[in-house]
Amino acid sequence: MYLLFDIGGTHVRLSIAPDINTISDPLIFDTPKNFDEFEQRLKYFVEKNLKEHTIEKVVGGIAGVLDEEGAKLLNSPNLQDWIGKPLREVIQRVTECENIIIENDANLCALGEATEGAGEGFNIVAYITIGTGIGGSRIVNGKIDKNSLGFEPGHQILKISDDRKIESFEQLAGGRALFEKYGQHIHEIEDLEVLDQIYYYTACGIHNTILHWSPDVVVLGGSIGEDMDLAKLKSYLEEVMFIFKKLPQIKSAKLGKTNGVVGAFHLLKFG
């Protein structure tokens, strides 16, 4: 038996793979702000569903920057109480399994979309998830691209004021930042001027990612990204792009809320 997980800034998804060919529908619940609460939820899930089984391997992702051992979070804007907590140690204790792989969540969402979703059939996939925060990953030939520190396209600087105050892609177009600024979720904003500005910033963030990653396709995921008007976004991209004469394809994610566990399942099977 195998345990798969996807811990995002808003939701946690837990899934079971009885073998390397089958995956169960994930249990989805709100991400606990308190790390200890997550431990209790995980323990309940394991005792209820896996008590009589040996867990051979655990694979999953979490929103944030991990240490070199993939054992704990070093930084995560949306999971402040989780930073520095012994994530791998807790999972190992609860599951009684030492074979554990923890990745950045966007890497696994990207892997899922690249292998079984909107990016299937493309060699180089740039995945951008726009939800509570903004993250992303680069997939090359069905594998997470090699990297030294990780991929964080959401923290690219998009705006610099005269007094050197900087604002990132996430600060200008991420769901949490938009709610803090306007007191509304993006789906509730009716001011067309505000919405146009959000689309423009999003196009600029994708533009920079295209320049850096040179993908065949850009896949947009997350609760905001999946619902964006692609025609409108492309029009702004065409407006700001002048280096490349041809844009890569821009597509909405296909797997929705399951792409993280699908990516974890792919990593389980193929490494």
Side-chain angles (χ1 to χ4, degrees):
M1 298 287 280
Y2 306 94
L3 175 64
L4 310 172
F5 66 87
D6 175 17
I7 304 169
T10 304
H11 294 105
V12 173
R13 297 165 183 88
L14 300 175
S15 187
I16 298 166
D19 52 59
I20 60 169
N21 298 307
T22 312
I23 182 174
S24 69
D25 291 334
L27 169 70
I28 303 175
F29 57 89
D30 291 344
T31 304
K33 298 303 178 187
N34 182 281
F35 178 78
D36 293 336
E37 183 183 340
F38 167 74
E39 180 177 358
Q40 295 306 312
R41 294 295 297 266
L42 178 64
K43 185 176 180 181
Y44 177 78
F45 179 85
V46 170
E47 289 179 348
K48 182 180 178 181
N49 298 283
L50 295 162
K51 189 175 182 179
E52 306 301 323
H53 302 277
T54 298
I55 300 174
E56 298 178 45
K57 193 171 186 177
V58 180
V59 182
I62 186 168
V65 178
L66 291 155
D67 65 358
E68 291 184 6
E69 291 75 33
K72 59 185 178 181
L73 283 174
L74 296 178
N75 196 357
S76 182
N78 299 305
L79 295 174
Q80 289 292 307
D81 187 64
W82 295 56
I83 295 173
K85 299 296 174 62
L87 180 61
R88 176 189 291 275
E89 182 182 317
V90 164
I91 293 173
Q92 181 177 330
R93 181 168 64 246
V94 171
T95 61
E96 298 182 355
C97 174
E98 294 188 3
N99 193 1
I100 299 169
I101 297 176
I102 303 174
E103 273 280 359
N104 172 269
D105 67 331
N107 284 348
L108 295 187
C109 291
L111 188 60
E113 289 292 341
T115 55
E116 297 189 33
E120 187 176 5
F122 294 91
N123 291 328
I124 304 174
V125 178
Y127 174 79
I128 304 293
T129 176
I130 308 174
T132 306
I134 298 179
S137 184
R138 186 175 192 260
I139 306 298
V140 179
N141 296 325
K143 291 187 178 294
I144 300 167
D145 198 17
K146 292 180 180 180
N147 60 88
S148 177
L149 301 174
F151 302 116
E152 290 292 341
H155 295 289
Q156 62 181 282
I157 297 168
L158 286 190
K159 190 176 181 182
I160 308 173
S161 63
D162 290 340
D163 61 356
R164 295 189 179 182
K165 178 184 177 183
I166 62 174
E167 291 182 86
S168 69
F169 186 8
E170 181 171 293
Q171 289 172 315
L172 293 167
R176 180 180 178 183
L178 293 177
F179 186 79
E180 290 175 352
K181 186 173 184 179
Y182 299 107
Q184 293 177 301
H185 296 289
I186 188 171
H187 308 296
E188 301 169 331
I189 297 173
E190 297 180 354
D191 188 321
L192 296 182
E193 197 171 310
V194 170
L195 288 172
D196 276 349
Q197 188 76 315
I198 294 168
Y199 267 83
Y200 184 76
Y201 284 136
T202 301
C204 289
I206 293 171
H207 162 272
N208 294 348
T209 300
I210 291 170
L211 296 187
H212 296 150
W213 287 355
S214 191
D216 299 310
V217 62
V218 176
V219 178
L220 296 182
S223 58
I224 295 174
E226 289 176 20
D227 290 338
M228 297 197 87
D229 182 334
L230 295 188
K232 185 174 183 178
L233 194 60
K234 287 176 186 176
S235 70
Y236 280 125
L237 261 173
E238 289 167 353
E239 179 184 326
V240 299
M241 176 65 77
F242 64 91
I243 293 296
F244 299 140
K245 299 303 180 183
K246 180 181 177 182
L247 288 172
Q249 290 192 44
I250 311 295
K251 302 180 72 173
S252 298
K254 183 179 177 181
L255 301 177
K257 296 178 180 179
T258 65
N259 52 19
V261 290
V262 171
F265 191 45
H266 185 86
L267 190 61
L268 170 70
K269 290 191 291 183
F270 301 108

